[in-house]
Amino acid sequence: HLPAMAASGEENGFALNLHEAKDAGEQVRALSENGSLKTCTDLNLEYGGGVDDGTLELISSCVMLKSLNLNACQQYTDEGLISLAKGCTSLTALSLYWNVKITDTGIKAIVGANTSLVSLRLSGCKHFTDDGCRHVAQKCPALTSLDLTRCALLTDASLHAIAENCTKLHTLLLYACSGWKDPGVSSILERLSSLEVLDLCGSRDVTDKAFEVLHTHPLPLLRRLNLGWCLQIGDPACIAIAKGCPQLRYLYLLGNKQVSSQGLQALSQGTPQLCGLDICGLCLVEDRGMGAMQGLFPHLTLLAKLGTAPNYHDH
């Protein structure tokens, strides 16, 4: 039984969605055997079963492939990515979320063969290091979206490489990476002026000093900023954000006990469009109710305080 295929925008190509298909690997093999796999332009194998190195070797015949989603496919290794790189050289979107086997070797191979990537997700690739990240940054200057969530081995060296090479980024996810320091974060804020979404949640060693650069190098397009559990950030950072991020709409300050009413007051003046705010655990702010917050932020519709669990999405 062959999977259903949808026509794509590419001439004579098709998109294939095998999301959560238990026999995803077998379906790819069937398409390969009948010769149709090579015209696939968009392949989604997220959470698919049986996707291993052999599957990736078959996919290498997809010379028209533009988008490949391997999220949560945990059977393939560096060997599979190396095989994939031999044939797939036109990727613009690649997602490798939650593969705990691959290393810099495989990632460098597939990225090196696809230097036109604009979207890359490496969230949960726990063996990815600064060396691999430098390679990604240097080879893929066209990136607009990069997800490095839970890449725990990375340090400021990666941030400096990203800041120097990937100046087109508008989405940068650095969640749950404890290796960031002030210099690295400051370089990101200074150089990536097109950022719209920045996630620094859990950057426990980052202080107010990292945000001083916003006074002279604003981020005029930034809409979402996650500073949850950045425990050394306080009012000076809020003041800098108010100065440099006038279009901010969603701000997460979860657990930042050094932020007081003074910081929120500055934000109310500098970020008037704010409509989503997470102030869970801001013990220096006495009144965290919706009424008090709407007094500061007239457009506020989503508020997280103790005991709530909001969902932050644009309406």
Side-chain angles (χ1 to χ4, degrees), residues 89-160:
T89 58
S90 299
L91 290 173
T92 57
L94 177 63
S95 196
L96 306 178
Y97 160 73
W98 197 20
N99 181 298
V100 297
K101 294 181 179 179
I102 59 176
T103 71
D104 290 350
T105 300
I107 294 171
K108 288 165 73 172
I110 189 62
V111 165
N114 291 276
T115 56
S116 295
L117 280 170
V118 296
S119 178
L120 179 61
R121 188 179 185 191
L122 298 174
S123 173
C125 295
K126 67 177 187 179
H127 300 298
F128 188 55
T129 74
D130 287 332
D131 181 54
C133 196
R134 276 191 294 265
H135 187 86
V136 167
Q138 292 167 358
K139 293 292 184 179
C140 301
L143 280 173
T144 61
S145 180
L146 178 60
D147 185 355
L148 299 177
T149 296
R150 298 190 188 281
C151 292
L153 298 180
L154 300 184
T155 71
D156 271 6
S158 291
L159 297 188
H160 288 303

Side-chain angles (χ1 to χ4, degrees), residues 155-157 159-160 163 180-190 210:
T155 71
D156 271 6
L159 297 188
H160 288 303
W180 313 139
K181 311 292 184 185
D182 287 343
V185 172
S186 184
S187 69
I188 290 291
L189 299 177
E190 180 178 357

Side-chain angles (χ1 to χ4, degrees), residues 60 62 76 158 160 164 230-231 292:
S60 69
C62 302
Y76 70 89
S158 291
H160 288 303
E164 181 178 352
C230 295
L231 301 180

